[in-house]
Amino acid sequence: MKQTLLRSRIVHFRDDIAGPPDSALEYFEDGVIGFADGHITLLDDARRAAKQGLDLSTAEHRPDALISCGFIDAHVHAPQLAVMGSYGEKLLDWLQKYTFPAELRFADEEISRQNADFFIDALLAHGTTSAMVFTTSFAHSTEHLFEAAQRAGMRLIAGKVLMDCNAPDALLDTPERALRESAALIEKWHGRGRLGYAVTPRFAGTSSRAQLTVAGQLLRNYPDLWLQTHLSENRDEIAWTATLFPEASDYLNIYERYGLHGERSVYAHCIHLTASEQQRLTDAGAAVAFCPSSNLFLGSGLLELQQLRERGIPVALATDVGAGTGLCQLQSMGEAYKVCQLQDYALGAAEAFYMATLGAARALHLERYIGNLAPGKEADLLLLNGSRVPLLRERLRHCRNIREELFAYMSMGDERIIERAYVSGVAIGKSARPGYRQSSDQEWQFTPAAY
Ligand SMILES: [Zn+2]
């Protein structure tokens, strides 16, 4: 068993930042991390480890860099890269004008396959080593995404979109098809390697009662699946879904009625929840995917982060690409800060990074595998190098502590500062992983792994 050793500054979270201040964020000014066979074997202060007999001569020494846990994106749409940054619409028109046409292209299996590879490459280039992903209503698009994630060795949760009304005919499935195709994908992919399956009704507005019933049936048949969908994103959407389901007492109640509300449910957005809906999220232990870039871009509204956290609702950070304007979770953190500033809450860097690492892992019930750099966890980590962005480099010279440094990364950083990513202990690079394609983005050139 060959152990890779990296000696560098290292930061991660041992616990929820809402707990005792000293137990959460752990920072090593001169740390060492070791990993072998895809798992972390060692995390310690370098000098202490050396005193105890660790031979540091084989460690790559990078005092200039900062090692962080890989980022987790709790809500992102693989087929929507092509419509990122499209102009002028709010949610319901956005779906009709941009999202649905983009997803229609995935009827073509070759487009679907190519996009899956590109999407996985793009996630890794942005430092996202795990994600919870929507594909399209075409079952093959989920198949292709799982294949690409498996090739990359990523821990990834995804599901075929269930949608049988209020969208173009060619995108619609039926309750029967939803059941059959989802079950086949679950049997093949759920729990295979690092992959997991989420039952994925797009949202209440595009599924019939019969299809929501099928979604609930899948969750009952396979209790360790996840449920991912959208909830309470935009006021017009809320009013419209209320007309579709007049029997429901509120938006969340639609999902409750079909057995789609539980501790493995992850709801994107949750901006306009009532107090009762928030309470029911707390009671069920369901999680919220906070998508600040998307929420600002579509003008959907401002998530009440402080309130949700106070209620004990797990909140994970997410990009929601294509409505989100970038895949970089550093940018999501920066946008989250602005969303909170507009509500007189100064989001701290520790809380922001927590929501993209350990907090997200907990929200997605992946904490036993990923989320921090504790020995035993899977070795998904990033080598951050702020000096790759000149303005940021200048700012970093004046940072006095790790929190100021992290705040500068989230305010001014982007994927350029991600010098290298490790997935299951393997450095992402052309020679590190057979079949890996070179990015066309020349900014992103990982060092071939010689470790
Ligand atoms: Zn979304």
Side-chain angles (χ1 to χ4, degrees):
M1 181 178 80
K2 187 176 177 301
Q3 179 172 248
T4 301
L5 288 177
L6 295 174
R7 180 178 181 181
S8 179
R9 300 182 308 115
I10 301 174
V11 69
H12 77 145
F13 295 93
R14 286 185 297 211
D15 204 351
D16 193 325
I17 41 93
D22 292 336
S23 69
L25 184 143
E26 185 173 40
Y27 173 62
F28 298 93
E29 182 70 32
D30 180 13
V32 61
I33 184 165
F35 41 92
D37 291 340
H39 290 79
I40 295 169
T41 49
L42 163 79
L43 176 69
D44 206 346
D45 176 81
R47 275 169 231 169
R48 184 168 54 213
K51 266 190 205 140
Q52 289 168 356
L54 181 71
D55 176 9
L56 285 173
S57 65
T58 59
E60 180 186 3
H61 193 201
R62 288 295 304 273
D64 58 319
L66 178 69
I67 289 175
S68 157
C69 189
F71 298 140
I72 301 165
D73 187 340
H75 180 82
V76 56
H77 297 258
Q80 294 183 18
L81 298 177
V83 292
M84 290 171 69
S86 295
Y87 176 75
E89 304 297 346
K90 295 204 170 187
L91 175 65
L92 296 177
D93 295 323
W94 168 272
L95 289 172
Q96 299 295 336
K97 194 166 169 184
Y98 298 119
T99 303
F100 294 152
E103 296 190 6
L104 275 167
R105 295 173 61 234
F106 283 69
D108 181 325
E109 294 210 25
E110 199 43 43
I111 287 175
S112 165
R113 191 173 284 112
Q114 284 172 9
N115 181 83
D117 285 329
F118 182 70
F119 176 74
I120 293 293
D121 285 357
L123 284 183
L124 293 172
H126 289 77
T128 295
T129 50
S130 274
M132 191 174 211
V133 188
F134 277 57
T135 59
T136 72
S137 47
F138 302 110
H140 60 244
S141 67
T142 310
E143 189 82 26
H144 296 150
L145 186 71
F146 278 135
E147 286 169 2
Q150 189 178 44
R151 278 195 291 277
M154 277 181 83
R155 185 163 284 286
L156 184 125
I157 300 166
K160 170 195 131 70
V161 169
L162 309 182
M163 183 158 70
D164 69 346
C165 58
N166 300 319
D169 285 348
L171 272 183
L172 300 181
D173 58 5
T174 62
E176 297 71 30
R177 216 182 97 199
L179 183 63
R180 191 176 66 245
E181 292 181 344
S182 301
L185 287 162
I186 292 161
E187 292 289 343
K188 181 170 178 186
W189 292 105
H190 182 62
R192 182 166 167 179
R194 303 183 78 195
L195 306 174
Y197 196 89
V199 175
T200 310
R202 178 184 292 281
F203 71 125
T206 48
S207 282
S208 66
R209 290 170 180 76
Q211 191 175 58
L212 293 176
T213 302
V214 159
Q217 206 176 322
L218 285 165
L219 290 172
R220 275 197 307 283
N221 293 350
Y222 303 92
D224 60 342
L225 298 182
W226 288 263
L227 178 282
Q228 60 173 348
T229 190
H230 298 86
L231 174 64
S232 199
E233 177 173 0
N234 159 301
R235 294 207 182 276
D236 290 344
E237 167 218 13
I238 296 165
W240 179 57
T241 48
T243 66
L244 298 173
F245 295 89
E247 69 277 24
S249 55
D250 53 33
Y251 198 156
L252 179 59
N253 185 237
I254 301 170
Y255 298 135
E256 288 171 326
R257 297 171 85 90
Y258 295 95
L260 305 177
H261 179 54
E263 67 168 5
R264 293 177 78 85
S265 299
V266 180
Y267 302 116
H269 308 302
C270 296
I271 296 171
H272 308 285
L273 296 180
T274 63
S276 163
E277 287 174 309
Q278 290 186 359
Q279 186 57 47
R280 279 140 58 209
L281 289 189
T282 306
D283 295 344
V288 170
F290 176 19
C291 313
S293 158
S294 162
N295 298 159
L296 293 171
F297 185 73
L298 292 183
S300 301
L302 307 175
L303 183 91
E304 295 172 325
L305 177 66
Q306 196 179 13
Q307 203 167 321
L308 298 184
R309 296 265 300 152
E310 278 167 11
R311 284 182 179 274
I313 298 168
V315 180
L317 197 63
T319 62
D320 191 30
V321 157
T325 50
L327 279 173
C328 185
Q329 284 287 63
L330 292 167
Q331 288 177 322
S332 300
M333 294 177 209
E335 298 299 282
Y337 178 76
K338 295 169 195 168
V339 164
C340 293
Q341 277 287 61
L342 287 166
Q343 300 172 89
D344 299 320
Y345 174 53
L347 174 68
E351 186 174 356
F353 272 77
Y354 176 79
M355 288 192 295
T357 55
L358 184 60
R362 286 182 171 177
L364 302 184
H365 299 274
L366 295 175
E367 189 194 355
R368 54 190 283 223
Y369 307 110
I370 56 172
N372 66 11
L373 302 175
K377 294 277 178 92
E378 295 166 350
D380 289 350
L381 47 125
L382 308 175
L383 196 77
L384 305 178
N385 180 355
S387 71
R388 291 158 71 97
V389 177
L391 274 178
L392 181 58
R393 182 173 59 217
E394 177 58 19
R395 174 68 186 92
L396 291 172
R397 286 178 53 227
H398 303 281
C399 288
R400 292 163 301 181
N401 56 48
I402 184 65
R403 286 170 195 266
E404 286 190 6
E405 181 180 348
L406 292 176
F407 190 67
Y409 290 156
M410 67 185 247
S411 302
M412 301 169 63
D414 55 41
E415 68 275 15
R416 285 174 294 174
I417 76 169
I418 294 154
E419 183 178 319
R420 195 187 303 157
Y422 289 85
V423 176
S424 267
V426 178
I428 300 301
K430 196 176 178 185
S431 64
R433 187 172 292 288
Y436 190 77
R437 294 151 308 284
Q438 196 73 16
S439 168
S440 58
D441 173 8
Q442 293 305 306
E443 266 303 329
W444 179 46
Q445 294 291 333
F446 286 116
T447 315
Y451 316 102

